Amino acid sequence: MVRAFSILLLGVLLSACSPSEAPPAAETPHPPSEALALPAPEASASARSRPVITIGADPWCPHNCKAGSEQEGYMLDIAREVFEGAGYQVEYLNVSWARALQMARDGLLDAVVGAFVTDAPDFVFPAEPQGRSKIAMYTPADSDWVYDGIESLHDQTVLAINGYSYSEQLDQYLARHAEEPTRVWMLAGPSPLNRAINLLDQHRADVFPEDVYVMTWAQRVNTDIHSLRQGGLLQKTDSYIAFSPSNARSAELAEMLSRGTRELRENGRMAQILSAYGLSED
């Protein structure tokens, strides 16, 4: 998905409200055991006997989508193809991005999907990326604002999703102004993407950085979402399935995934996986 510039921002979550509104109390996170208690898909006895790799994230489709859906995202398809072909069972669950990172750090998840290196520099990353992200600065449809570096944000209200990393410079800007709701609103909770789109559409905020593939997918599958305008490109970056820094087998799993990803690119299978989501290697 775009992600996790600082776990320190967990304490300053701001709900989507107008700058004149007092922010409501922060949402109370569920205990880790509750997230792990999500029902797992039924599996055969042979599947249950295989070693399990648990991967978590919030939906960031088409990179990673809703767990259990017909299309779970091309990065999950890659993971399943590589790991299940090597005798593992992959289990995928949806929690907020900040929570997924913390659960992986605590050893409750083996990996997170859709990570940038700036999201979690302490994680174990494969040498080969599983995806590619292009982050644009979205505005209301009738805006004429154009992104021209961080300085151009000084008179804009920027929306961001808690735990996401966007770019090194923007992450620093968001952290610096996180307690100034007229400049930065941090969104959390369910469906933060839809909330951000609605806030822009209502002109309650000015700018929202988001992955171009994600925004295009959201507008394609939900006709109620109004089209937004791209006000400039922030950055292009690789995206990964990144492994828990507290898991002794993370380096081995990262190497296995890197090798498998490379093979999928070389034998043409990667292009087939991407085409199922209307994507291509570029």
Side-chain angles (χ1 to χ4, degrees):
M1 340 141 207
V2 160
R3 301 176 176 185
F5 61 91
S6 175
I7 282 296
L8 294 177
L9 290 182
L10 282 171
V12 291
L13 303 181
L14 298 179
S15 295
C17 57
S18 65
S20 62
E21 294 174 327
E27 299 173 24
T28 302
H30 298 294
S33 59
E34 185 168 341
L36 290 176
L38 292 175
E42 295 184 4
S44 65
S46 61
R48 288 194 300 269
S49 68
R50 291 181 290 166
V52 174
I53 298 174
T54 56
I55 302 175
D58 60 333
W60 199 47
C61 214
H63 305 286
N64 59 282
C65 306
K66 183 179 178 181
S69 61
E70 184 176 348
Q71 289 184 294
E72 290 190 310
Y74 73 87
M75 295 182 77
L76 260 297
D77 293 351
I78 291 169
R80 292 191 187 282
E81 192 128 346
V82 172
F83 288 126
E84 293 182 356
Y88 287 84
Q89 178 184 348
V90 173
E91 292 184 357
Y92 170 50
L93 60 87
N94 293 142
V95 293
S96 74
W97 181 243
R99 181 164 175 68
L101 290 171
Q102 191 58 52
M103 288 175 69
R105 288 189 173 101
D106 292 341
L108 300 175
L109 289 174
D110 293 312
V112 296
V113 55
F116 301 163
V117 173
T118 51
D119 277 329
D122 55 323
F123 279 49
V124 180
F125 283 77
E128 286 284 327
Q130 285 65 61
R132 183 76 173 164
S133 178
K134 182 167 66 173
I135 309 301
M137 304 295 269
Y138 286 90
T139 75
D142 58 357
S143 172
D144 60 3
W145 177 85
V146 175
Y147 178 71
D148 188 25
I150 294 299
E151 297 77 14
S152 63
L153 295 173
H154 77 279
D155 59 350
Q156 304 292 300
T157 299
V158 182
L159 297 171
I161 298 175
N162 179 59
Y164 277 32
S165 176
Y166 298 95
S167 73
E168 185 175 358
Q169 276 195 319
L170 182 56
D171 293 351
Q172 292 173 356
Y173 178 88
L174 295 173
R176 190 162 60 248
H177 300 290
E179 298 185 18
E180 302 173 51
T182 59
R183 301 186 74 167
V184 171
W185 291 4
M186 299 304 301
L187 304 181
S191 304
L193 173 60
N194 289 344
R195 290 175 61 200
I197 292 171
N198 288 335
L199 286 168
L200 286 184
D201 192 47
Q202 296 166 13
H203 291 83
R204 296 177 65 193
D206 303 309
V207 181
F208 174 56
E210 184 53 275
D211 178 271
V212 173
Y213 291 151
V214 172
M215 187 66 76
T216 300
W217 184 275
Q219 293 176 334
R220 189 181 94 184
V221 301
N222 188 346
T223 56
D224 294 333
I225 292 179
H226 294 173
S227 295
L228 300 176
R229 167 183 167 272
Q230 286 191 31
L233 183 66
L234 177 65
Q235 75 161 0
K236 295 181 180 180
T237 188
D238 291 327
S239 185
Y240 300 83
I241 294 174
F243 294 87
S244 166
S246 63
N247 189 333
R249 62 176 180 169
S250 286
E252 177 187 354
L253 294 176
E255 169 57 28
M256 186 183 304
L257 180 59
S258 185
R259 185 171 60 252
T261 301
R262 191 179 305 114
E263 291 174 357
L264 292 178
R265 287 198 171 98
E266 291 173 352
N267 65 22
R269 177 61 181 143
M270 179 72 76
Q272 294 176 345
I273 292 173
L274 291 173
S275 67
Y277 296 85
L279 305 175
S280 61
E281 295 188 81
D282 52 12

